[in-house]
Amino acid sequence: MRDDVASIGVMRDRPSDLPIRFEAVDYRAASFAILSGVTFDIGPGAPTLLLGPNGSGKTTLLKLGMELLTPSGGRLTFAGRQASAGSGTAIVLQKPAMMRRSVAANISFALAAARRPAYPNVVAHLLDQVGLAGFEHRPARRLSGGEQQRLALARALARDPEVLFLDEPTASLDPAGTKGVEDIIVRIAHAGVKIVMATHDLGQARRLGGDVVFLVAGRVIEQAPAPDFFASPSTDEARRFLAGDLVI
Amino acid sequence: MEAAGAFDLLWLADANLFAIVRLSLGITLAATFFAALLGMPLGAFAALVRFRGREALIVVLNAFMGLPPVVVGLCVFLLLSRSGPLGQLGLLFTPTAMVVAQTVLISPIVAALARQVIEDLWAEYCDEFNAMRVGPVARVAALLWDARFSLVTILLAGFGRAAAEVGAVIIVGGNIEGFTRVMTTTIALETSKGNLTLAVSLGVVLIALIMTINALAWSIRRWSEKHAG
């Protein structure tokens, strides 16, 4: 992606945001603890999968990394800085809102928000990246669920992110839609964008995972390379989760 | 008998009748324009900005959607009468006074409905806009643009309410023939005089106007669903 975008002359120079470091991060909503003492690093390389049951704090972690939320305690740094470099991060929400515009206009809006020129060739390139070439003039809200997720991915890519946070992007998709989105994620990752993805789908974590961060009830229970995590989990919670038991 | 005469007036394009229709449309269009200028930003402000007294403002706007026209007429009359604070302007019993009254009447409708539409859309877009780091000006512009079809429908509703209103404009306009006599006040007057031919013909025009507005609002809704989703 970064090379492709650079080839059409719209990539900007900026300092790297990696590694993103969570140091004993807490997050509370009112008096309820969503995250407690979370410590881990997001470095460059293969996708990082945030794995865990519903309510384990995956979405909150993504929103903290995206700076949509501020930690209640602890420290969050981006390559040692207190804040990210600006447009270096992007997120695809679990239920992305489609603006009441055409597909192309949705992309143009995201480009404008990222202070990038919305040339037709840039829009077409982004849509091509996610397999939506030819969809330019369709109303975004009339796309299927899978197509909407792909458009949301294209909008996120419009920021030319170094880190892309994905919040269960295939949660409501059928197997074909899931495969379509996963193929795009793999291509984006191979192009050098760091993927940080929340999921509770074990199969998906096996297919995509580089590192796995396993969360339960707002705490990081285990962090390991995906093959190690699936082959020999070191905690009882992870073993039970992998065995299909209900872990709450 | 009156119905046949009424359709003759319409068919023969009676000059008096069409002068009344023109004046009515001019006043109502002007009032709708000013209500949009006042009501849309007020609605957007109430939808997007959190401030002390916001809830009270929303309650007042919602309550004022049902303002009694005669009360609005009375207030504007007191404001513009010779002894009122704006009496020196000499606007009472002019079309301008009628525009003012209709603007006061429909501005809360425009503001309250616009607030609801924009707030609903904001609830939907909020997370995305935060994630995209969209600035405040661009947010408002995007919300207004994406809500444009609903906002136009709101303006049409305001136009319909103003066009059908009689209480306020008869108080501040005075129903002066050839000067401030509009469709609704003419219908009221001519009916009381027993001249039902003109009253019925104006009634037909008024109903046709309201039907057209509603058809337009419906068409806009259908078109927007098809093309903007």
Side-chain angles (χ1 to χ4, degrees):
Chain A
M1 164 68 194
R2 299 172 72 75
D3 290 343
D4 292 337
V5 174
S7 70
I8 50 177
V10 292
M11 193 174 123
R12 294 171 298 155
D13 292 330
R14 59 169 175 249
S16 172
D17 281 330
L18 294 172
I20 299 175
R21 178 160 292 166
F22 291 77
E23 294 177 62
V25 166
D26 297 331
Y27 186 79
R28 285 184 292 277
S31 59
F32 187 73
I34 308 290
L35 293 175
S36 302
V38 167
T39 299
F40 75 102
D41 286 354
I42 297 171
T48 296
L49 275 293
L50 305 181
L51 192 62
N54 288 336
S56 58
K58 302 186 296 292
T59 298
T60 304
L61 262 184
L62 294 180
K63 288 186 173 178
L64 284 165
M66 190 62 202
E67 297 171 286
L68 297 175
L69 299 173
T70 307
S72 308
R75 212 165 102 90
L76 175 60
T77 57
F78 299 82
R81 299 184 307 273
Q82 296 293 322
S84 73
S87 61
T89 54
I91 189 168
V92 175
L93 301 167
Q94 187 175 351
K95 290 179 183 167
M98 294 290 110
M99 296 179 74
R100 292 177 184 172
R101 305 172 180 210
S102 68
V103 167
N106 267 265
I107 301 290
S108 297
F109 184 83
L111 284 165
R115 294 184 174 77
R116 295 179 61 195
Y119 299 130
N121 61 332
V122 179
V123 173
H125 176 75
L126 285 165
L127 290 176
D128 190 45
Q129 293 266 311
V130 297
L132 289 180
F135 283 61
E136 284 85 347
H137 303 297
R138 291 208 196 170
R141 293 159 83 99
R142 297 180 81 88
L143 298 177
S144 70
E147 289 163 349
Q148 289 194 359
Q149 280 294 354
R150 284 190 270 159
L151 176 56
L153 273 167
R155 276 194 321 210
L157 292 175
R159 292 174 60 79
D160 185 24
E162 179 187 18
V163 184
L164 179 56
F165 297 102
L166 304 172
D167 189 5
E168 306 200 28
T170 60
S172 56
L173 303 184
D174 62 13
T178 298
K179 180 171 185 340
V181 171
E182 284 186 4
D183 287 348
I184 295 165
I185 292 169
V186 169
R187 280 205 304 275
I188 295 169
H190 283 162
V193 178
K194 173 66 186 186
I195 301 290
V196 183
M197 181 166 140
T199 184
H200 57 246
D201 180 339
L202 287 174
Q204 186 167 60
R206 285 178 201 274
R207 289 191 294 274
L208 299 179
D211 293 315
V212 170
V213 178
F214 179 59
L215 291 143
V216 177
R219 293 179 184 276
V220 174
I221 301 298
E222 190 168 335
Q223 180 177 12
D228 298 348
F229 176 80
F230 288 111
S232 52
S234 60
T235 60
D236 184 49
E237 289 94 335
R239 274 190 290 275
R240 285 168 48 216
F241 187 75
L242 292 177
D245 290 348
L246 292 177
V247 178
I248 301 169
Chain B
M1 187 66 183
E2 281 81 11
F7 283 106
D8 281 347
L9 284 181
L10 291 169
W11 183 251
L12 299 171
D14 180 78
N16 181 39
L17 182 144
F18 279 91
I20 292 169
V21 172
R22 263 198 307 276
L23 180 65
S24 298
L25 287 178
I27 288 171
T28 306
L29 280 172
T32 308
F33 173 75
F34 289 117
L37 281 186
L38 290 170
M40 295 280 181
L42 182 60
F45 180 77
L48 301 175
V49 182
R50 297 291 177 266
F51 56 93
R52 188 187 293 270
R54 176 176 174 271
E55 305 287 328
L57 174 65
I58 291 170
V59 170
V60 168
L61 285 178
N62 288 341
F64 278 19
M65 286 172 69
L67 271 179
V70 287
V71 175
V72 172
L74 178 61
C75 293
V76 175
F77 181 90
L78 293 172
L79 200 68
L80 300 180
S81 67
R82 196 167 291 276
S83 57
L86 300 177
Q88 290 171 332
L89 298 175
L91 294 176
L92 200 59
F93 304 133
T94 66
T96 305
M98 299 161 80
V99 171
V100 171
Q102 287 196 348
T103 302
V104 171
L105 192 66
I106 64 173
S107 289
I109 297 173
V110 173
L113 296 180
R115 198 271 310 164
Q116 189 65 58
V117 164
I118 293 170
E119 193 167 308
D120 289 349
L121 197 56
W122 173 237
E124 196 181 324
Y125 284 5
C126 178
D127 284 346
E128 294 289 346
F129 280 13
N130 287 337
M132 285 193 257
R133 317 284 193 233
V134 181
V137 175
R139 282 176 189 210
V140 173
L143 287 168
L144 290 176
W145 178 252
D146 281 16
R148 62 194 179 281
F149 299 114
S150 300
L151 295 177
V152 168
T153 305
I154 289 168
L155 287 182
L156 289 173
F159 181 89
R161 162 89 157 143
E165 188 279 323
V166 61
V169 290
I170 206 164
I171 292 174
V172 302
N175 205 15
I176 303 165
E177 187 173 7
F179 187 51
T180 60
R181 190 165 291 177
V182 291
M183 284 191 284
T184 52
T185 60
T186 307
I187 290 170
L189 178 69
E190 297 301 327
T191 303
S192 69
K193 284 163 54 182
N195 179 12
L196 297 183
T197 305
L198 182 58
V200 169
S201 60
L202 285 170
V204 169
V205 173
L206 198 53
I207 287 173
L209 188 66
I210 301 303
M211 294 286 283
T212 304
I213 289 167
N214 277 282
L216 202 55
W218 179 252
S219 303
I220 288 171
R221 184 178 175 82
R222 297 294 300 202
W223 191 92
S224 67
E225 281 173 0
K226 188 175 176 189
H227 292 92

